[in-house]
Amino acid sequence: MALPLTVSMSNKWSRKRRHFPLLAVLFLVFLACSVIYIEFSIQQIHQSPDHVLHSQRQTSSFTYVKPNLPKGASDVLDGSSSCNSTRNYSGKKIRWVGTDAESNQRRSISQENSCDVFSGKWVFDNQSYPLYKESDCPYMSDQLACHKHGRSDLQYQHWRWQPHNCNLKRWDATEMWEKLRGKRLMFVGDSLNRGQWISMVCLLQSVIPANKRSMTPNAQLTIFRAEEYNATVEFLWAPLLVESNSDDPVNHRLSERIIRPDSVLKHSAQWEHADILVFNSYLWWRQGPVKLQWSGEEHGACEELDGLGAMELAMGAWADWVASKVIPLKKHVFFVTMSPTHFWLGSLPLH
């Protein structure tokens, strides 16, 4: 009785196998028809008047303007500047180079070796760090003097940067001064970069005799000078990189943030002759919408843009300056990216 059952099952399996090629062919025909239909639909969309009009709007949504210098002292933004009227952002952008120039204007040079010092991690090193003591640096800012103001934990001073694929030489202040001989090293940005500048000064000042070094404050620009090496380590207060009403290094806490996007030249006139530039800009763009006051606008007319959009606009103006003005073999430019937030558990400020 088992034999007929076996034969019956074999016959059914044979019929199913004969159906498989047919199903496969039908599936392939369905896929081919689907692809052809999708391609035809895409062509129809691109040929439709509505799509052409939308594409034209996308390509012509920005108006490029040339950067300008302020016309006079009264035209410079400061803490008393205000907007008499505000409208939506018009789509203007800054263009240093011609509108037909593309990304080939953004020049770069390859690294001299295969080691990427920017790719690494922080490692704890209580044998060779810290490189200087807070109390030994006469230029230490009270804002950065954590130990002086009661922080008992000093473990944070023992962290060292370790690249993944190579080892950095131990810091040597004299060797660094030799590399800086006859040069200007300038930090540009907000208080985060000012902290980096002070740390660099503290690292370098110990090998310079007191009578051969000086600190010259000059409003926005502060300069540490080492006479023996004819070198300077400078800081330029420019928290938004382009001209703004917050460019005063002391009185810059304002309820309304106003920038002049086409006036990056005001600051670049001070930094363009430096040999090594270290920029940063981040935290100040997080404080709500930003007002844009373009050069030539009369009666305090402003446009308004959210912080991220305004930062993109200013960064674009800065990047175009770098692309069109910097010769990589003669000048080195660095940009410090996003920094850790200044808050502990999201509520209490560290300082």
Side-chain angles (χ1 to χ4, degrees):
M1 296 298 292
L3 182 60
L5 178 60
T6 303
V7 172
S8 176
M9 293 179 64
S10 297
N11 291 336
K12 289 181 179 179
W13 174 245
S14 298
R15 288 195 296 270
K16 288 181 179 179
R17 284 193 300 176
R18 285 195 296 269
H19 289 313
F20 283 163
L22 179 60
L23 291 173
V25 171
L26 290 174
F27 180 68
L28 290 174
V29 171
F30 170 75
L31 285 180
C33 292
S34 299
V35 171
I36 293 173
Y37 175 76
I38 293 172
E39 291 290 337
F40 177 76
S41 300
I42 292 174
Q43 291 179 4
Q44 291 294 106
I45 291 172
H46 279 282
Q47 292 173 1
S48 67
D50 290 339
H51 176 77
V52 173
L53 180 60
H54 178 68
S55 298
Q56 290 175 346
R57 285 174 178 172
Q58 283 188 326
T59 57
S60 62
S61 58
F62 294 114
T63 301
Y64 289 100
V65 298
K66 293 182 179 180
N68 295 296
L69 282 169
K71 296 178 181 178
S74 60
D75 195 43
V76 174
L77 290 178
D78 56 28
S80 63
S81 300
S82 62
C83 295
N84 295 329
S85 63
T86 302
R87 59 180 182 271
N88 292 331
Y89 173 50
S90 62
K92 293 180 183 178
K93 284 193 173 185
I94 311 303
R95 179 61 63 90
W96 289 78
V97 293
T99 55
D100 57 338
E102 298 297 335
S103 59
N104 60 350
Q105 291 290 331
R106 299 184 183 279
R107 303 175 296 272
S108 63
I109 55 175
S110 59
Q111 293 184 347
E112 295 180 358
N113 52 57
S114 59
C115 179
D116 183 3
V117 297
F118 300 102
S119 176
K121 62 181 180 179
W122 291 100
V123 297
F124 190 76
D125 182 354
N126 59 359
Q127 299 298 318
S128 57
Y129 277 67
L131 294 174
Y132 69 89
K133 291 183 179 180
E134 171 185 301
S135 58
D136 293 338
C137 181
Y139 308 105
M140 175 60 64
S141 165
D142 278 349
Q143 290 180 314
L144 302 177
C146 299
H147 183 56
K148 175 182 176 181
H149 291 283
R151 179 168 181 172
S152 57
D153 168 31
L154 299 180
Q155 300 300 306
Y156 69 94
Q157 298 181 352
H158 297 286
W159 290 94
R160 172 175 57 83
W161 180 252
Q162 176 62 56
H164 289 308
N165 299 318
C166 62
N167 292 316
L168 295 176
K169 294 173 61 177
R170 178 172 170 79
W171 173 265
D172 187 314
T174 301
E175 183 179 356
M176 183 65 176
W177 277 120
E178 286 297 339
K179 292 181 181 296
L180 290 176
R181 183 180 290 276
K183 293 182 172 61
R184 296 174 62 191
L185 166 60
M186 183 184 292
F187 293 79
V188 181
D190 57 25
S191 59
L192 296 179
N193 236 19
R194 181 167 56 195
Q196 296 297 310
W197 166 71
I198 290 176
S199 293
M200 179 62 76
V201 170
C202 290
L203 285 167
L204 290 169
Q205 59 86 30
S206 61
V207 297
I208 305 297
N211 63 341
K212 296 293 184 179
R213 66 185 188 223
S214 62
M215 181 74 80
T216 307
N218 184 22
Q220 278 185 279
L221 183 63
T222 307
I223 302 172
F224 176 82
R225 188 182 308 277
E227 295 181 13
E228 181 181 350
Y229 294 92
N230 188 30
T232 59
V233 182
E234 309 173 31
F235 173 70
L236 176 66
W237 173 263
L240 302 172
L241 297 185
V242 296
E243 182 186 350
S244 76
N245 65 339
S246 299
D247 288 340
D248 189 303
V250 178
N251 301 315
H252 46 250
R253 300 291 181 181
L254 307 171
S255 58
E256 185 176 62
R257 191 83 62 218
I258 305 174
I259 68 171
R260 182 161 285 152
D262 56 339
S263 187
V264 70
L265 282 169
K266 174 193 173 187
H267 296 323
S268 68
Q270 299 189 72
W271 74 51
E272 64 181 348
H273 297 299
D275 300 281
I276 305 169
L277 285 162
V278 183
F279 294 92
N280 94 302
S281 186
Y282 164 61
L283 286 176
W284 284 55
W285 299 104
R286 299 175 60 191
Q287 302 176 9
V290 178
K291 301 295 178 64
L292 315 176
Q293 192 175 102
W294 298 89
S295 298
E297 290 286 351
E298 298 180 355
H299 309 300
C302 295
E303 298 174 359
E304 186 172 271
L305 191 59
D306 63 274
L308 181 61
M311 179 180 181
E312 182 180 358
L313 187 64
M315 288 299 300
W318 169 83
D320 275 343
W321 179 89
V322 173
S324 60
K325 303 295 183 180
V326 172
I327 301 175
L329 294 177
K330 295 183 178 181
K331 191 187 300 287
H332 296 285
V333 177
F334 300 90
F335 187 86
V336 181
T337 54
M338 185 183 301
S339 304
T341 182
H342 277 192
F343 290 88
W344 175 256
L345 297 180
S347 58
L348 298 177
L350 291 177
H351 57 269

